[in-house]
Amino acid sequence: MTQDASGESAERRVPTQVDLEFVPALPDGRAVAPAEKDGRFVWLVAKGAMTEECRSEMQEYMTHIVSTGMWTQNWPSPQLC
């Protein structure tokens, strides 16, 4: 059984997808807010809070840390479609 950097079994982990998506606005004037469900973590970004270039770079960074096992989510079970 293989393990990731956290020592957790890679077979038991749910593959994580990370996205940053622009939205027209967020509650209470927030610039960014997290949203998640099993297998997907989305950072909602209020329009005007960051440039497209910044969003693209952050997406690359987040994808890297997820794909290398530096960040894992502990969802209870694999997502069923």
Side-chain angles (χ1 to χ4, degrees), residues 23-41:
V23 294
L26 291 167
D28 301 323
R30 292 180 181 169
V32 179
E36 67 177 289
K37 69 176 189 176
D38 286 3
R40 187 161 188 248
F41 195 91

Side-chain angles (χ1 to χ4, degrees), residues 12-19 21 35-43 59 62-63 66-67 71-81:
R12 293 179 12 169
R13 264 193 343 208
V14 175
T16 304
Q17 297 175 347
V18 178
D19 294 307
E21 296 178 3
E36 67 177 289
K37 69 176 189 176
D38 286 3
R40 187 161 188 248
F41 195 91
V42 180
W43 287 98
Q59 177 74 48
M62 300 295 279
T63 299
V66 166
S67 66
W71 174 27
T72 60
Q73 288 294 118
N74 297 314
W75 288 301
S77 62
Q79 182 177 6
L80 300 175
C81 297

